[in-house]
C-alpha cells in the first residue's frame, strides 16, 4: 500500500506538526494496519460490548461513546489515531499547513463509500456545512467554530471551505488554531455521501460509510440489542481489518457483559463492573487490561437549579466538592482503577498539571465544606434534597451512592442517587435541559490534545457544555492558548484557564479513569488505544 504523509509547512503550527508527523514515523507497518501477530481466521466475527446510541448515526450529531464507537468503525476521516495518540493519514494524501490560519487538504483518489460513490472534496465540504448550520442543531457543530463563516446565531455556510479540484480543498480559519490538523480524525469531520442528504433521519438508521467496516445489511442495527458490522471490501486505508466483522452488543448492565466475557460469549470488554475490580486480574490473567486512558469523570450542577446560581451557588459547589472523599471512593469502590482528579483534563495528555492554583477545592475537607455551606445558607437557607442522576446501565450506582453518602454525612443534608434506566434516556434529559438535578458527566477525548478537554465542554455555547457555563475570562484564555504557536505557552494558558474553572466549578471533577477491561481466550492482538477504545481492526480470532 502506498504510504501517505502529512506535510506541515512553516513553523506556525509546530505543536500540530510534531504530533502529526509522529504518525508518519512508525514505519510502513503502522500505516498498513499490520497487527504484528498471528493471522487468525479472516472471516471470524469479533464480539464486543457497547451501548445504544443516543441519536441516529450522523457523525455531526453524535458526541457520546456508544455511537462514537460505531461511527469510528464504519467511517474513515482525513486522519486517524494510533494506539498512542499519534496521527496517521487515512483518506488524506497530504495536509499542508500553509500558515497558522490556512490549510490545504488533498485526499487520495479512487476511494469510495460503500454504495460505490467516489469520495471527493465535496463530500467533506457538504458534510461540514451541514454540521455547522445553526438550524440543523447538530451536537458537534462546535467543532466547526474556528472555520470562517461559522455562526451560532444564523444559518451561514462555511466560507472558509473552498474546493480547488475534485480531490483538493482549502480550510481558512477565522483565528489561529494550533491543533486543527490534529483534530481532523474526530468523527464530526467525517465525509458523507450525497445520498445522505436525501433523508438524514433515514440515513442515520442505516448509514453508508467509507471505513473498515459497514453495516451488515438491513436490520443490522437492532435498537437496544446490538449492531452487526462486516468488513468493507472496498476500504483502502491503514486500518485494514484482520477479522470478518464486529458484533457490538448493547448491555443493560456491565455485570452481564462481564459474565459473558468469562463465559466465552464476548470477545472484548472495555468497561468492567465495580463488582469485578477485586478479581478481574486473577480471573483473566494476562488477558486483563488496566491502563491509563484519556477519560475524565465529573458531575454537573446546572446554575439554573434552585440554590445553585450566583454567589450562593458557587459556595455550595465548593462545599459539595470538598465534602466528597475522592481518595476513599477510588480506593474502596474502584480498587486502584481510578485516580482522584486534580484538574479537568487527563494525566495521559501533554500539558497536564497536578499543581494548579485553587486545586485544594478538590481535596476532602469536612470543616471547610461545612463552613462554605453555612455561608451559602446565610444567603438563602437550603431546602430540598440533593440528587445526582446517572444511567443505571453503566455500572455507576456504587460510586454515586458513595458520593452522595459522603455529601450527606459531611453537610447534614438529604442526598441520593437518581437512576435513569439507560444512557440515552439520561442524555436526552441533559441535552434538552429538562433534567432537574445534578447529573453524571465526563469526557473521553476526541483527539489527544489538552484543548479538547476544555473548549468543547466549558466555552460559551460549546456543544458539550451541559451546564451552560459562560466565562469571558475562561473563553479569552483558551482562545489565546489555541492561537499560540508555542506548545509550552499554549499549555500555560490552558492551565490558567483551568484555574478559572477551579473557582467557578462548572463541573465537579471526580477522578481520572483507567481503561479497565479484558478479552477472551478466543482472540489475540487486542490493543486498547489512548482513548480507551480497542483497536477492533487489529483483533484476530480462531
Amino acid at each position: 500500500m502506498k504510504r501517505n504523509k502529512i506535510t506541515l509547512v512553516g513553523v506556525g503550527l509546530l505543536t500540530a506538526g510534531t504530533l502529526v508527523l509522529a504518525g508518519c514515523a512508525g514505519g510502513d507497518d503502522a500505516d498498513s494496519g499490520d497487527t504484528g501477530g498471528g493471522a487468525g481466521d479472516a472471516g471470524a466475527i469479533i464480539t464486543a460490548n457497547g451501548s445504544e446510541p443516543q441519536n441516529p448515526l450522523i457523525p455531526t450529531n453524535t458526541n457520546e461513546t456508544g455511537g462514537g464507537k460505531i461511527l469510528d468503525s464504519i467511517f474513515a476521516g482525513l486522519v486517524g489515531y494510533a494506539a498512542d495518540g499519534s496521527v496517521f493519514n487515512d483518506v488524506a494524501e497530504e495536509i499542508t499547513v500553509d500558515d497558522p490560519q490556512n490549510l490545504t487538504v488533498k485526499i487520495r483518489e479512487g476511494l469510495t463509500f460503500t454504495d460505490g460513490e467516489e469520495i471527493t472534496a465535496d463530500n467533506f465540504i457538504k458534510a461540514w456545512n451541514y454540521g455547522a448550520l445553526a438550524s440543523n442543531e447538530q451536537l458537534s457543530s462546535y467543532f466547526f467554530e474556528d472555520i470562517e463563516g461559522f455562526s451560532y446565531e444564523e444559518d451561514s455556510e462555511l466560507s472558509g471551505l473552498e474546493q480547488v479540484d475534485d480531490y483538493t480543498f482549502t480550510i481558512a480559519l477565522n483565528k489561529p488554531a494550533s491543533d486543527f490538523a490534529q483534530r481532523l480524525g474526530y468523527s464530526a469531520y467525517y465525509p458523507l455521501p450525497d445520498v445522505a442528504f436525501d433523508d438524514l433521519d433515514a440515513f442515520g438508521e442505516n448509514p453508508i460509510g467509507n471505513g473498515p467496516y459497514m453495516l451488515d445489511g438491513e436490520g443490522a442495527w437492532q435498537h437496544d440489542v446490538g449492531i452487526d458490522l462486516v468488513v468493507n471490501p472496498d476500504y483502502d486505508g491503514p486500518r485494514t481489518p484482520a477479522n470478518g466483522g464486529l458484533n457490538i452488543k448493547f448491555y443493560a448492565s456491565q455485570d452481564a457483559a462481564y459474565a459473558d466475557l468469562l463465559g466465552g460469549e464476548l470477545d472484548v470488554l472495555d468497561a468492567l463492573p465495580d463488582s469485578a475490580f477485586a478479581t478481574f486480574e486473577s480471573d483473566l490473567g494476562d488477558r486483563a487490561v488496566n491502563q491509563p486512558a484519556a477519560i475524565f469523570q465529573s458531575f454537573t450542577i446546572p446554575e439554573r437549579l434552585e440554590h445553585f446560581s450566583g454567589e450562593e451557588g458557587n459556595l455550595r459547589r465548593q462545599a459539595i466538592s470538598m465534602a466528597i472523599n475522592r481518595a476513599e471512593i477510588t480506593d474502596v469502590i474502584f480498587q486502584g482503577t481510578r485516580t482522584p482528579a486534580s484538574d479537568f483534563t487527563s494525566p495521559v495528555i501533554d500539558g497536564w498539571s497536578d499543581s494548579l492554583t485553587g486545586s485544594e477545592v478538590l481535596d476532602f475537607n469536612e470543616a471547610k465544606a461545612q463552613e462554605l455551606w453555612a455561608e451559602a445558607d446565610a444567603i438563602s437557607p437550603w431546602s430540598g434534597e440533593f440528587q445526582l442522576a446517572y444511567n443505571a446501565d453503566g455500572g455507576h450506582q456504587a460510586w454515586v451512592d458513595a458520593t452522595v453518602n459522603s455529601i450527606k454525612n459531611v453537610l447534614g443534608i438529604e442526598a441520593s442517587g437518581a437512576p435513569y434506566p439507560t444512557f440515552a434516556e439520561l442524555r436526552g434529559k441533559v441535552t434538552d435541559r429538562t433534567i432537574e438535578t445534578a447529573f453524571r458527566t465526563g469526557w473521553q477525548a476526541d483527539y489527544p490534545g489538552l484543548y479538547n478537554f476544555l473548549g468543547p465542554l466549558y466555552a460559551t455555547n460549546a456543544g458539550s457544555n451541559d451546564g451552560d457555563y459562560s466565562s469571558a475570562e475562561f473563553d479569552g484564555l483558551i482562545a489565546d492558548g489555541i492561537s499560540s504557536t508555542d506548545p509550552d505557552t499554549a499549555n500555560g494558558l490552558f492551565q490558567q484557564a483551568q484555574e478559572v474553572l477551579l473557582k467557578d466549578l462548572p463541573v465537579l471533577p471526580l477522578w481520572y479513569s483507567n481503561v479497565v477491561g479484558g478479552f477472551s481466550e478466543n482472540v489475540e492482538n487486542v490493543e486498547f488505544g489512548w482513548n480507551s477504545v480497542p483497536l477492533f481492526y487489529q483483533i484476530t480470532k480462531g
Side-chain angles (χ1 to χ4, degrees):
M1 179 180 296
K2 179 181 177 183
R3 183 171 176 206
N4 301 317
K5 64 178 181 177
I6 296 180
T7 302
L8 297 177
V9 177
V11 298
L13 293 200
L14 181 59
T15 304
T18 302
L19 290 166
V20 172
L21 289 174
C24 298
D28 291 336
D29 284 350
D31 278 358
S32 66
D34 186 1
T35 67
D41 180 359
I45 301 299
I46 307 300
T47 58
N49 68 299
S51 58
E52 175 70 17
Q54 178 186 359
N55 297 310
L57 293 168
I58 305 298
T60 51
N61 205 38
T62 300
N63 67 349
E64 40 79 28
T65 56
K69 183 183 293 185
I70 300 167
L71 284 175
D72 290 345
S73 295
I74 63 176
F75 281 91
L78 292 168
V79 302
Y81 305 114
D84 64 358
S86 58
V87 181
F88 57 81
N89 276 12
D90 199 329
V91 175
E93 179 176 314
E94 187 173 68
I95 300 176
T96 304
V97 179
D98 304 307
D99 62 55
Q101 288 185 223
N102 292 278
L103 299 84
T104 299
V105 177
K106 181 174 177 55
I107 67 174
R108 294 190 287 135
E109 299 183 23
L111 302 180
T112 63
F113 293 99
T114 56
D115 66 349
E117 179 187 341
E118 186 179 17
I119 300 169
T120 68
D122 189 55
N123 295 112
F124 286 93
I125 293 172
K126 288 175 66 175
W128 295 9
N129 268 304
Y130 176 84
L133 285 181
S135 62
N136 289 333
E137 298 182 332
Q138 298 293 282
L139 292 175
S140 291
S141 64
Y142 177 80
F143 284 89
F144 305 103
E145 181 188 53
D146 290 338
I147 301 176
E148 283 188 1
F150 180 87
S151 172
Y152 283 112
E153 310 302 329
E154 59 186 8
D155 280 353
S156 175
E157 288 204 348
L158 298 174
S159 58
L161 301 179
E162 183 174 342
Q163 184 168 341
V164 177
D165 57 42
D166 284 348
Y167 308 104
T168 309
F169 67 100
T170 58
I171 306 170
L173 306 179
N174 52 41
K175 57 182 176 295
S178 58
D179 67 352
F180 198 83
Q182 184 191 26
R183 301 179 195 178
L184 294 174
Y186 179 54
S187 57
Y189 300 109
Y190 288 158
L192 287 176
D194 288 343
V195 68
F197 301 98
D198 293 341
D199 187 338
L200 260 297
D201 289 336
F203 178 85
E205 293 294 328
N206 189 26
I208 295 167
N210 64 317
Y213 298 96
M214 61 184 186
L215 271 68
D216 188 15
E218 292 288 339
W221 180 4
Q222 300 179 60
H223 288 284
D224 299 311
V225 176
I227 191 166
D228 294 319
L229 308 179
V230 294
V231 170
N232 173 10
D234 296 322
Y235 174 72
D236 178 21
R239 295 185 291 149
T240 303
N243 50 63
L246 307 176
N247 170 218
I248 300 176
K249 300 181 178 181
F250 305 154
Y251 284 93
S253 75
Q254 291 177 327
D255 288 285
Y258 188 58
D260 275 2
L261 181 70
L262 294 177
E265 299 298 317
L266 187 70
D267 292 322
V268 185
L269 178 62
D270 61 12
L272 296 183
D274 50 44
S275 60
F277 287 156
T279 62
F280 82 100
E281 291 180 320
S282 58
D283 290 343
L284 300 174
D286 60 6
R287 294 179 286 110
V289 176
N290 183 9
Q291 68 186 49
I295 305 175
F296 166 83
Q297 295 292 332
S298 61
F299 67 86
T300 299
I301 310 175
E303 287 190 48
R304 58 183 169 77
L305 300 184
E306 186 180 6
H307 296 297
F308 286 102
S309 62
E311 183 182 359
E312 179 195 355
N314 186 256
L315 289 167
R316 294 203 188 280
R317 284 185 183 80
Q318 293 178 43
I320 290 171
S321 179
M322 299 179 87
I324 301 169
N325 194 334
R326 294 168 176 81
E328 182 175 80
I329 293 171
T330 54
D331 181 51
V332 175
I333 301 296
F334 293 114
Q335 302 193 41
T337 64
R338 306 288 190 275
T339 304
S342 59
D343 81 332
F344 294 78
T345 65
S346 166
V348 306
I349 302 297
D350 182 51
W352 173 80
S353 173
D354 62 355
S355 56
L356 298 175
T357 300
S359 62
E360 63 274 7
V361 75
L362 306 182
D363 296 335
F364 181 57
N365 188 329
E366 292 182 79
K368 186 64 175 178
Q370 292 164 359
E371 176 188 328
L372 293 167
W373 195 258
E375 289 182 33
D377 277 344
I379 297 172
S380 177
W382 174 257
S383 60
E385 179 180 8
F386 180 80
Q387 288 194 301
L388 174 54
Y390 65 96
N391 52 302
D393 61 350
H396 301 292
Q397 181 177 351
W399 73 257
V400 170
D401 286 348
T403 298
V404 295
N405 283 337
S406 187
I407 294 168
K408 178 180 180 178
N409 293 336
V410 171
L411 299 180
I413 63 172
E414 289 300 314
S416 64
Y420 284 76
T422 66
F423 179 77
E425 185 174 347
L426 172 64
R427 287 302 307 175
K429 293 287 188 180
V430 171
T431 300
D432 64 20
R433 303 303 192 260
T434 58
I435 195 163
E436 294 299 327
T437 67
F439 51 89
R440 181 189 78 83
T441 45
W443 194 249
Q444 179 176 307
D446 304 308
Y447 61 92
L450 198 66
Y451 176 83
N452 183 241
F453 282 88
L454 303 175
L457 280 80
Y458 312 116
T460 302
N461 294 321
S464 295
N465 187 343
D466 292 330
D468 297 320
Y469 173 70
S470 181
S471 164
E473 183 181 9
F474 173 82
D475 290 347
L477 286 166
I478 62 167
D480 290 344
I482 200 61
S483 300
S484 174
T485 58
D486 175 70
D488 291 335
T489 299
N491 286 338
L493 289 163
F494 293 144
Q495 290 168 7
Q496 290 180 48
Q498 289 193 80
E499 290 174 350
V500 175
L501 298 182
L502 286 166
K503 290 187 294 184
D504 296 343
L505 291 178
V507 305
L508 276 63
L510 293 173
W511 37 76
Y512 314 116
S513 297
N514 281 8
V515 52
V516 184
F519 52 96
S520 76
E521 296 176 338
N522 302 323
V523 292
E524 295 181 335
N525 303 310
V526 179
E527 185 175 17
F528 284 65
W530 60 277
N531 62 349
S532 85
V533 178
L535 277 64
F536 293 118
Y537 66 93
Q538 293 186 170
I539 301 173
T540 57
K541 185 175 185 179

